Amino acid sequence: MANWAELPIDLITEIAKRVKVIEDFIAFGAVCTSWRTAAPKLNFDVLSPQVPLLLLGAKDDDYREFYSLSKKKLSLIYLPEARGQECLPSEGWLCTVANNTGEMNLLHPFSRIKTQLPSRKDLLSFHGFDYLERQREGKRWHCIDKAILSANPSLTSDYALLVHYYAGGSCLAFWRPRDLNWTEIDVVTDGGVCNMIFCKGQFYSVSYRGEVWVYDIAGPSIAQPSVQTRLLAELEDDMFKLPSVQFYLVELSGALLLVTRYVILVVCVLSKGWRLKQV
């Protein structure tokens, strides 16, 4: 049997360029030194369609598990930069938030390229909260739970990052490359932000009351960060405002859809009392 490691480097490079699935490309580069040399990130077509990988929960080590929906298997990726971090995925990148310091970054899980963001402490300063004091008190209600990119930072520097966080209420802020700090967005609705999406050049959010808001954020070419906010739609039927209803914004074939999910509670009468079962 031929020694695959001794194939001409030009031939190995041509093979690497024809690998279209990101997890296969990573496995290709892990075969040996010569194959890894032929598989730098520049040889991977970042525009090739990818079935999303699911990032599983963190463990106390330097590895993260990704589940491939297409291959139905787990991949273990060495990612020490994400240890002790909350990870919020968007456009193939991770918005990481350090649990102990509040440091934030944009991290690519495979190339491990990292872009530093203003910290969570800067977000809390909008509301007069001291981050370290809150950490000592053990109060975690100021968590960041959503992060949406307008574009893939691997392809362009013309993008914005929108984050949703809690600081005594539901809050929004955005950041663009070269911005020195976050820019706060006035959240008009008192229903809280349920879901967010970027679609056709604008950010959208839906509240727990069924209000759809649109945010037109100025691009990085405009030095002064600004945003225009307006109410796009509102559900008037009270059946959509029940606590058991969840809202999602989904793009399908270029159309923006508002999807509702109902949580049904089934009450079972048992000899020892009542029991609620969520379906």
mmCIF file of all heavy atoms in Angstrom, residues 2 17 47 49 57 86-87 111 119 137 160 170 178 182 185 191 202 210 215 233 235 239 249 251:
data_model
loop_
_atom_site.group_PDB
_atom_site.id
_atom_site.type_symbol
_atom_site.label_atom_id
_atom_site.label_comp_id
_atom_site.label_asym_id
_atom_site.label_seq_id
_atom_site.Cartn_x
_atom_site.Cartn_y
_atom_site.Cartn_z
ATOM 1 N N ALA A 2 0.521 2.223 -0.816
ATOM 2 C CA ALA A 2 1.314 3.453 -0.914
ATOM 3 C C ALA A 2 1.230 4.250 0.376
ATOM 4 O O ALA A 2 0.248 4.185 1.111
ATOM 5 C CB ALA A 2 0.809 4.286 -2.088
ATOM 6 N N LYS A 17 -8.767 21.179 -1.589
ATOM 7 C CA LYS A 17 -9.654 22.225 -2.112
ATOM 8 C C LYS A 17 -11.021 21.685 -2.513
ATOM 9 O O LYS A 17 -11.977 22.444 -2.638
ATOM 10 C CB LYS A 17 -8.998 22.918 -3.307
ATOM 11 C CG LYS A 17 -7.806 23.792 -2.945
ATOM 12 C CD LYS A 17 -7.209 24.433 -4.174
ATOM 13 C CE LYS A 17 -6.034 25.336 -3.812
ATOM 14 N NZ LYS A 17 -5.425 25.964 -5.012
ATOM 15 N N LEU A 47 -17.718 29.787 1.292
ATOM 16 C CA LEU A 47 -19.033 30.058 0.729
ATOM 17 C C LEU A 47 -19.824 28.788 0.433
ATOM 18 O O LEU A 47 -21.004 28.859 0.071
ATOM 19 C CB LEU A 47 -18.894 30.877 -0.564
ATOM 20 C CG LEU A 47 -18.306 32.290 -0.410
ATOM 21 C CD1 LEU A 47 -18.184 32.958 -1.760
ATOM 22 C CD2 LEU A 47 -19.153 33.134 0.531
ATOM 23 N N PRO A 49 -22.198 25.768 0.980
ATOM 24 C CA PRO A 49 -23.283 25.589 1.961
ATOM 25 C C PRO A 49 -22.918 24.536 2.997
ATOM 26 O O PRO A 49 -22.349 23.487 2.673
ATOM 27 C CB PRO A 49 -24.465 25.127 1.086
ATOM 28 C CG PRO A 49 -24.126 25.568 -0.292
ATOM 29 C CD PRO A 49 -22.629 25.493 -0.400
ATOM 30 N N GLY A 57 -23.091 21.441 25.330
ATOM 31 C CA GLY A 57 -22.761 22.122 26.578
ATOM 32 C C GLY A 57 -21.296 22.000 26.947
ATOM 33 O O GLY A 57 -20.621 21.015 26.613
ATOM 34 N N GLU A 86 -19.192 31.454 28.248
ATOM 35 C CA GLU A 86 -20.489 31.239 27.636
ATOM 36 C C GLU A 86 -20.319 31.470 26.140
ATOM 37 O O GLU A 86 -19.677 32.443 25.722
ATOM 38 C CB GLU A 86 -21.522 32.210 28.199
ATOM 39 C CG GLU A 86 -21.812 32.047 29.683
ATOM 40 C CD GLU A 86 -22.543 30.751 29.992
ATOM 41 O OE1 GLU A 86 -23.219 30.222 29.072
ATOM 42 O OE2 GLU A 86 -22.449 30.273 31.130
ATOM 43 N N CYS A 87 -20.881 30.595 25.308
ATOM 44 C CA CYS A 87 -20.700 30.689 23.863
ATOM 45 C C CYS A 87 -22.050 30.849 23.165
ATOM 46 O O CYS A 87 -22.936 29.997 23.316
ATOM 47 C CB CYS A 87 -19.989 29.449 23.330
ATOM 48 S SG CYS A 87 -18.287 29.257 23.927
ATOM 49 N N SER A 111 -10.681 28.058 12.892
ATOM 50 C CA SER A 111 -9.428 28.782 12.646
ATOM 51 C C SER A 111 -8.871 29.354 13.942
ATOM 52 O O SER A 111 -7.692 29.691 14.020
ATOM 53 C CB SER A 111 -9.660 29.915 11.649
ATOM 54 O OG SER A 111 -10.484 30.932 12.198
ATOM 55 N N SER A 119 -16.293 44.761 26.926
ATOM 56 C CA SER A 119 -16.658 43.752 27.916
ATOM 57 C C SER A 119 -18.118 43.857 28.354
ATOM 58 O O SER A 119 -18.813 44.838 28.057
ATOM 59 C CB SER A 119 -15.760 43.878 29.151
ATOM 60 O OG SER A 119 -16.102 45.035 29.887
ATOM 61 N N GLU A 137 -21.456 39.318 44.803
ATOM 62 C CA GLU A 137 -22.744 39.063 45.432
ATOM 63 C C GLU A 137 -23.432 37.824 44.862
ATOM 64 O O GLU A 137 -24.459 37.394 45.370
ATOM 65 C CB GLU A 137 -23.664 40.276 45.229
ATOM 66 C CG GLU A 137 -23.179 41.526 45.953
ATOM 67 C CD GLU A 137 -24.036 42.734 45.627
ATOM 68 O OE1 GLU A 137 -24.964 42.577 44.807
ATOM 69 O OE2 GLU A 137 -23.796 43.816 46.180
ATOM 70 N N ALA A 160 -22.165 44.046 11.892
ATOM 71 C CA ALA A 160 -22.510 44.536 13.226
ATOM 72 C C ALA A 160 -22.912 43.341 14.083
ATOM 73 O O ALA A 160 -23.370 42.316 13.571
ATOM 74 C CB ALA A 160 -23.636 45.558 13.167
ATOM 75 N N SER A 170 -34.951 43.762 30.131
ATOM 76 C CA SER A 170 -34.497 43.326 28.817
ATOM 77 C C SER A 170 -33.793 44.481 28.107
ATOM 78 O O SER A 170 -34.370 45.557 27.935
ATOM 79 C CB SER A 170 -35.704 42.843 28.002
ATOM 80 O OG SER A 170 -35.296 42.166 26.854
ATOM 81 N N ARG A 178 -14.182 48.549 14.878
ATOM 82 C CA ARG A 178 -13.561 49.857 15.147
ATOM 83 C C ARG A 178 -14.344 50.702 16.133
ATOM 84 O O ARG A 178 -13.890 51.793 16.510
ATOM 85 C CB ARG A 178 -13.286 50.638 13.845
ATOM 86 C CG ARG A 178 -12.256 49.991 12.944
ATOM 87 C CD ARG A 178 -12.005 50.799 11.690
ATOM 88 N NE ARG A 178 -13.182 50.841 10.837
ATOM 89 C CZ ARG A 178 -13.506 49.869 9.982
ATOM 90 N NH1 ARG A 178 -12.751 48.787 9.893
ATOM 91 N NH2 ARG A 178 -14.565 49.984 9.218
ATOM 92 N N TRP A 182 -19.845 49.554 23.235
ATOM 93 C CA TRP A 182 -21.182 49.191 22.815
ATOM 94 C C TRP A 182 -22.028 50.455 22.631
ATOM 95 O O TRP A 182 -21.774 51.482 23.270
ATOM 96 C CB TRP A 182 -21.857 48.301 23.858
ATOM 97 C CG TRP A 182 -21.164 47.005 24.101
ATOM 98 C CD1 TRP A 182 -20.320 46.705 25.127
ATOM 99 C CD2 TRP A 182 -21.260 45.818 23.292
ATOM 100 N NE1 TRP A 182 -19.875 45.401 25.017
ATOM 101 C CE2 TRP A 182 -20.447 44.840 23.904
ATOM 102 C CE3 TRP A 182 -21.966 45.499 22.135
ATOM 103 C CZ2 TRP A 182 -20.313 43.556 23.373
ATOM 104 C CZ3 TRP A 182 -21.831 44.227 21.606
ATOM 105 C CH2 TRP A 182 -21.012 43.274 22.229
ATOM 106 N N ILE A 185 -29.315 50.415 22.737
ATOM 107 C CA ILE A 185 -30.553 50.607 21.982
ATOM 108 C C ILE A 185 -31.702 50.706 22.980
ATOM 109 O O ILE A 185 -31.838 49.858 23.867
ATOM 110 C CB ILE A 185 -30.807 49.443 21.001
ATOM 111 C CG1 ILE A 185 -29.685 49.368 19.961
ATOM 112 C CG2 ILE A 185 -32.159 49.603 20.309
ATOM 113 C CD1 ILE A 185 -29.831 48.197 18.999
ATOM 114 N N GLY A 191 -42.386 44.007 26.951
ATOM 115 C CA GLY A 191 -42.636 42.571 26.918
ATOM 116 C C GLY A 191 -41.392 41.723 26.905
ATOM 117 O O GLY A 191 -41.470 40.499 26.951
ATOM 118 N N GLN A 202 -31.358 44.192 7.863
ATOM 119 C CA GLN A 202 -31.827 44.800 9.100
ATOM 120 C C GLN A 202 -31.952 43.739 10.197
ATOM 121 O O GLN A 202 -32.164 42.557 9.924
ATOM 122 C CB GLN A 202 -33.177 45.491 8.888
ATOM 123 C CG GLN A 202 -33.113 46.706 7.969
ATOM 124 C CD GLN A 202 -34.477 47.309 7.718
ATOM 125 O OE1 GLN A 202 -35.438 46.609 7.430
ATOM 126 N NE2 GLN A 202 -34.577 48.635 7.835
ATOM 127 N N GLY A 210 -45.557 39.461 21.314
ATOM 128 C CA GLY A 210 -45.842 39.349 19.890
ATOM 129 C C GLY A 210 -45.590 40.607 19.093
ATOM 130 O O GLY A 210 -46.090 40.752 17.970
ATOM 131 N N TYR A 215 -34.596 47.144 13.544
ATOM 132 C CA TYR A 215 -33.501 48.036 13.939
ATOM 133 C C TYR A 215 -32.591 48.242 12.733
ATOM 134 O O TYR A 215 -31.971 47.298 12.232
ATOM 135 C CB TYR A 215 -32.698 47.433 15.098
ATOM 136 C CG TYR A 215 -33.563 46.994 16.254
ATOM 137 C CD1 TYR A 215 -34.020 45.680 16.343
ATOM 138 C CD2 TYR A 215 -33.937 47.886 17.253
ATOM 139 C CE1 TYR A 215 -34.825 45.275 17.395
ATOM 140 C CE2 TYR A 215 -34.748 47.488 18.309
ATOM 141 C CZ TYR A 215 -35.188 46.179 18.368
ATOM 142 O OH TYR A 215 -35.984 45.772 19.408
ATOM 143 N N ALA A 233 -44.826 45.139 13.400
ATOM 144 C CA ALA A 233 -46.110 44.431 13.480
ATOM 145 C C ALA A 233 -46.407 44.097 14.931
ATOM 146 O O ALA A 233 -45.495 44.019 15.770
ATOM 147 C CB ALA A 233 -46.083 43.158 12.635
ATOM 148 N N LEU A 235 -49.254 41.549 17.230
ATOM 149 C CA LEU A 235 -50.379 40.623 17.275
ATOM 150 C C LEU A 235 -51.413 41.145 18.275
ATOM 151 O O LEU A 235 -51.089 41.403 19.434
ATOM 152 C CB LEU A 235 -49.899 39.223 17.681
ATOM 153 C CG LEU A 235 -48.923 38.558 16.698
ATOM 154 C CD1 LEU A 235 -48.460 37.212 17.243
ATOM 155 C CD2 LEU A 235 -49.564 38.374 15.335
ATOM 156 N N MET A 239 -54.963 35.483 22.397
ATOM 157 C CA MET A 239 -54.532 34.081 22.469
ATOM 158 C C MET A 239 -53.033 33.946 22.234
ATOM 159 O O MET A 239 -52.422 32.972 22.640
ATOM 160 C CB MET A 239 -55.284 33.234 21.443
ATOM 161 C CG MET A 239 -54.921 33.511 19.993
ATOM 162 S SD MET A 239 -55.693 32.359 18.830
ATOM 163 C CE MET A 239 -54.799 30.866 19.213
ATOM 164 N N LEU A 249 -38.470 34.178 15.096
ATOM 165 C CA LEU A 249 -38.355 34.815 13.789
ATOM 166 C C LEU A 249 -37.509 33.913 12.901
ATOM 167 O O LEU A 249 -36.396 33.538 13.269
ATOM 168 C CB LEU A 249 -37.714 36.199 13.917
ATOM 169 C CG LEU A 249 -38.557 37.251 14.639
ATOM 170 C CD1 LEU A 249 -37.735 38.511 14.882
ATOM 171 C CD2 LEU A 249 -39.813 37.581 13.849
ATOM 172 N N GLU A 251 -36.246 33.076 8.734
ATOM 173 C CA GLU A 251 -36.180 33.445 7.319
ATOM 174 C C GLU A 251 -36.361 32.191 6.473
ATOM 175 O O GLU A 251 -35.675 31.185 6.668
ATOM 176 C CB GLU A 251 -34.843 34.109 6.984
ATOM 177 C CG GLU A 251 -34.758 34.550 5.527
ATOM 178 C CD GLU A 251 -33.427 35.180 5.180
ATOM 179 O OE1 GLU A 251 -32.566 35.267 6.065
ATOM 180 O OE2 GLU A 251 -33.253 35.567 4.004
#
